[in-house]
């Protein structure tokens, strides 16, 4: 759409008002504006919270300003996402029922990321200490070598298998 005579300094509220006047800003639509500086789209509400403004004071009929707006129908996108998860017949509901949602929630697994981070950081710490003992003799006790093997086997083996 063409916006003739936009404000010289255009705010996200001005853009939303224009879209509403044109009958474009409907409920259930996600409105995003392209920001050239970041080469990315940003939600109009986020632009408003971040005090983003667009300057059209140097535009004219021969050199118009461009504001790229992307509209996404969230209701349609959720329906398409739900229907793509079902296999087989086309009679499957697009939106999962409460019973299906409860079944999906009960099948969730525990988060293994903390155990993986622990095992990784412990392996790095043990390996660093062992290397420090070899590079700088006398800095690490000789008994560390006895303790290093079982700890590394436990941390590097058992926890990594659990996380995997």
């Amino acid at each position: 759409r063409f916006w003739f005579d936009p404000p010289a300094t255009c705010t996200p509220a001005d853009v939303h008002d224009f879209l509403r006047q044109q009958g474009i800003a409907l409920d259930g639509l996600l409105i995003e504006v392209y920001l050239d500086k970041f080469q990315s789209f940003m939600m109009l509400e986020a632009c408003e919270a971040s005090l983003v403004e667009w300057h059209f004071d140097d535009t004219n009929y021969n050199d118009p300003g461009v504001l790229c707006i992307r509209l996404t129908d969230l209701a349609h996108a959720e329906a398409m996402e739900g229907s793509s998860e079902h296999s087989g017949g086309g009679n499957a509901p697009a939106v999962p029922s409460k019973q299906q949602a409860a079944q999906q929630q009960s099948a969730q697994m525990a988060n293994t990321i903390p155990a993986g981070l622990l095992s990784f950081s412990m392996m790095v710490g043990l390996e660093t200490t062992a290397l420090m003992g070899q590079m700088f003799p006398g800095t690490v006790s000789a008994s560390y070598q006895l303790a290093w093997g079982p700890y590394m086997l436990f941390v590097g083996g058992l926890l990594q298998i659990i996380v995997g």
Side-chain angles (χ1 to χ4, degrees), residues 2 17 26 42 81 89 133 156:
F2 291 105
D17 290 340
L26 305 173
M42 186 173 186
E81 182 179 305

Side-chain angles (χ1 to χ4, degrees), residues 98-164:
K98 289 182 182 180
Q99 183 181 9
Q100 290 171 338
Q103 288 174 351
Q104 289 175 354
Q105 286 180 349
S106 65
Q108 289 181 353
M109 295 178 56
N111 187 358
T112 57
I113 292 174
L117 289 174
L118 170 71
S119 65
F120 177 74
S121 62
M122 289 291 290
M123 286 175 56
V124 169
L126 291 170
E127 186 67 28
T128 303
T129 306
L131 289 174
M132 194 173 82
Q134 291 177 357
M135 291 175 63
F136 307 107
T139 58
V140 178
S141 174
S143 63
Y144 175 77
Q145 295 297 333
L146 296 173
W148 181 74
Y151 278 124
M152 190 59 99
L153 178 68
F154 170 72
V155 172
L158 182 63
L159 282 180
Q160 290 291 331
I161 288 172
I162 291 170
V163 169

Side-chain angles (χ1 to χ4, degrees), residues 82-93:
S83 65
S84 67
E85 291 176 1
H86 297 289
S87 61
N91 296 335

Side-chain angles (χ1 to χ4, degrees), residues 6-130:
T9 302
C10 186
T11 65
D14 295 329
V15 172
H16 196 266
D17 290 340
F18 171 75
L19 294 174
R20 201 173 307 141
Q21 290 170 359
Q22 296 293 315
I24 298 174
L26 305 173
D27 291 335
L29 284 180
L30 174 67
I31 303 170
E32 297 173 304
V33 180
Y34 187 77
L35 301 177
D36 294 335
K37 188 173 187 177
F38 299 109
Q39 296 181 351
S40 157
F41 282 92
M42 186 173 186
M43 287 179 24
L44 193 61
E45 291 83 9
C47 291
E48 191 164 6
S50 302
L51 304 174
V52 174
E53 293 179 338
W54 298 275
H55 297 282
F56 293 110
D57 49 355
D58 58 346
T59 61
N60 57 42
Y61 181 78
N62 294 326
D63 186 23
V66 176
L67 188 61
C68 297
I69 297 175
R70 178 169 64 185
L71 303 172
T72 305
D73 186 0
L74 296 178
H76 180 70
E78 287 176 5
M80 292 301 293
E81 182 179 305
S83 65
S84 67
E85 291 176 1
H86 297 289
S87 61
N91 296 335
V95 179
S97 66
K98 289 182 182 180
Q99 183 181 9
Q100 290 171 338
Q103 288 174 351
Q104 289 175 354
Q105 286 180 349
S106 65
Q108 289 181 353
M109 295 178 56
N111 187 358
T112 57
I113 292 174
L117 289 174
L118 170 71
S119 65
F120 177 74
S121 62
M122 289 291 290
M123 286 175 56
V124 169
L126 291 170
E127 186 67 28
T128 303
T129 306

